[in-house]
């Protein structure tokens, strides 16, 4: 299958957002409303064609001595001595920390910052740390210990980013192959035929599509396209309401499916699917316009997009409540 236009760009390029929202927006506003759109404005929504999303972290030092702390979790680690045991037994009883850590969501901000300052030693140390972490925690073939679909799709995004930033360091290939294999697993895929259409499935497909393009893997690309086209027929009711049954996730899906239409439209034989997606989104925008206050803020109902800070560990650990 031909490579889509623009997929040879470096890590600074953008085309689609395999979106993940990590910080609390003051309000959710319908796309096109006069008020500012907080989802579109959030800088963390940058897991694009490059896979390089931004998770709030702090990092100091260089090379193997680089010390990383995920914001809100006072458990620093060093690239040269990556704590492989945290994959299964994290230092805090928090599903959010496990998602951030095992999903490698801390990797892109470290990688892009190092690349921006020309710090090749840190990029190399990061590649080594990731390879070590994945080698010590192989896929058990089921959704446990960081190999669930939600963690895995974020890991695929991060690996796409690091592959670009590192210039294609082959030490990453075993991790990329394992993560792609988990993405392909029909028992873990969050979408049809075993599950309803869901934003996780779409994010997984966009990440797999990017990986297939990067590595010239027609199977990855073809599967991601086929799943996206199939799932696109079941994301919305006839009246334009997302089946995920949430006001906030409805707006999220509006954006995500719009980005998906732009992405798959670069590939052949997708015109009919793209046209259907865009027609669905037109109806959805009209429907969600009736679910807002006069200021354009979406009235919350159903599953909210965010939870409050966890009282269990007392840490700032806001996550989408159905993530």
């Amino acid at each position: 299958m031909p490579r889509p236009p623009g997929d040879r760009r470096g890590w600074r390029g953008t085309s689609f957002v395999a979106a993940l929202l990590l910080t609390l927006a003051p309000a959710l506003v319908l796309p096109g409303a006069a008020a500012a759109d907080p989802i579109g404005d959030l800088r963390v929504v940058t897991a694009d064609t490059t896979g390089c999303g931004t998770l709030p972290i702090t990092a100091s030092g260089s090379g193997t001595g680089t010390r990383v702390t995920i914001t809100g979790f006072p458990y620093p680690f060093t690239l040269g001595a990556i704590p492989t045991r945290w994959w299964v037994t994290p230092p805090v009883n928090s599903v959010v920390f496990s998602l951030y850590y095992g999903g490698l969501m801390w990797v892109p901000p470290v990688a892009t910052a190092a690349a921006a300052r020309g710090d090749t030693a840190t990029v190399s140390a990061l590649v080594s740390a990731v390879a070590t972490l994945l080698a010590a925690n192989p896929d058990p073939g089921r959704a446990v210990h960081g190999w669930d679909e939600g963690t895995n799709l974020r890991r695929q995004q991060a690996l796409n980013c690091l592959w670009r930033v590192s210039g294609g360091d082959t030490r990453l290939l075993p991790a990329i192959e394992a993560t792609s294999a988990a993405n392909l697993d029909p028992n873990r895929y969050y979408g049809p035929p075993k599950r309803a259409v869901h934003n996780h499935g779409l994010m997984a497909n966009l990440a797999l599509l990017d990986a297939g393009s990067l590595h010239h893997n027609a199977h990855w690309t073809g599967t991601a396209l086929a799943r996206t086209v199939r799932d696109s027929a079941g994301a919305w009711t006839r009246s334009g309401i997302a089946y995920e049954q949430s006001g906030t996730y409805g707006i999220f899906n509006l954006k995500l499916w719009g980005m998906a239409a732009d992405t798959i439209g670069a590939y052949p034989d997708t015109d009919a699917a793209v046209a259907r997606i865009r027609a669905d989104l037109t109806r959805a925008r009209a429907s969600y316009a009736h679910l807002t206050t006069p200021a354009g803020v979406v009235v919350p109902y159903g599953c909210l997009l965010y939870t409050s800070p966890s009282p269990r560990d007392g840490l700032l650990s806001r996550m989408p409540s159905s993530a």
Side-chain angles (χ1 to χ4, degrees):
M1 180 172 292
R3 294 166 60 117
D7 78 336
R8 293 177 178 170
R9 292 175 298 177
W11 62 272
R12 293 177 186 274
T14 60
S15 175
F16 69 80
V17 176
L20 175 67
L21 306 181
L22 301 175
T23 56
L24 181 63
L28 290 172
V29 182
L30 191 69
D37 179 355
I39 293 181
D41 291 343
L42 286 174
R43 291 184 299 110
V44 296
V45 189
T46 51
D48 49 34
T49 290
T50 72
C52 295
T54 58
L55 178 71
I57 65 158
T58 57
S60 60
S62 182
T64 57
T66 301
R67 185 179 176 88
V68 180
T69 303
I70 299 172
T71 300
F73 295 94
Y75 307 99
F77 53 93
T78 303
L79 295 185
I82 193 76
T84 56
R85 68 187 184 281
W86 284 6
W87 189 284
V88 176
T89 55
V92 59
N93 183 21
S94 168
V95 293
V96 177
F97 180 87
S98 294
L99 175 68
Y100 291 169
Y101 189 73
L104 304 182
M105 293 168 64
W106 52 273
V107 168
V110 177
T112 54
R117 64 177 183 268
D119 186 354
T120 57
T122 295
V123 173
S124 179
L126 192 56
V127 169
S128 180
V130 166
T132 297
L133 192 58
L134 269 291
N137 295 279
D139 183 3
R142 55 197 179 97
V144 296
H145 303 321
W147 288 97
D148 58 280
E149 54 79 28
T151 305
N152 192 73
L153 76 87
R154 276 84 179 201
R155 183 163 53 245
Q156 184 128 58
Q157 293 172 347
L159 287 169
N160 289 344
C161 174
L162 188 55
W163 178 262
R164 284 185 169 91
V165 172
S166 68
D169 194 313
T170 57
R171 290 176 292 171
L172 292 171
L173 288 176
I176 292 168
E177 293 279 353
T179 298
S180 296
N183 194 330
L184 291 165
D185 182 0
N187 291 318
R188 281 178 277 186
Y189 176 62
Y190 207 141
K194 293 181 178 292
R195 297 177 178 84
V197 175
H198 193 272
N199 69 83
H200 278 203
L202 182 53
M203 289 194 289
N205 288 332
L206 294 177
L208 184 63
L209 185 62
D210 187 28
S213 176
L214 281 173
H215 300 281
H216 311 285
N217 190 307
H219 179 51
W220 298 353
T221 301
T223 299
L225 282 173
R227 293 192 313 200
T228 301
V229 169
R230 177 198 63 199
D231 294 4
S232 68
W236 307 92
T237 68
R238 289 184 179 181
S239 60
I241 299 296
Y243 277 112
E244 289 191 41
Q245 293 299 303
S246 163
T248 52
Y249 270 106
I251 303 304
F252 182 38
N253 274 292
L254 266 171
K255 288 182 169 289
L256 192 60
W257 278 103
M259 295 162 189
D262 291 341
T263 302
I264 69 171
Y267 291 85
D269 303 319
T270 60
D271 290 351
V274 170
R276 183 179 64 245
I277 293 170
R278 296 202 189 284
D280 286 341
L281 296 180
T282 296
R283 286 190 294 272
R285 289 188 186 94
S287 294
Y288 281 98
H290 292 283
L291 296 173
T292 62
T293 69
V297 178
V298 175
V299 177
Y301 71 89
C303 175
L304 297 180
L305 189 56
Y306 302 96
T307 59
S308 59
S310 169
R312 180 177 56 195
D313 54 17
L315 299 173
L316 182 61
S317 55
R318 292 178 293 198
M319 270 300 300
S321 57
S322 68

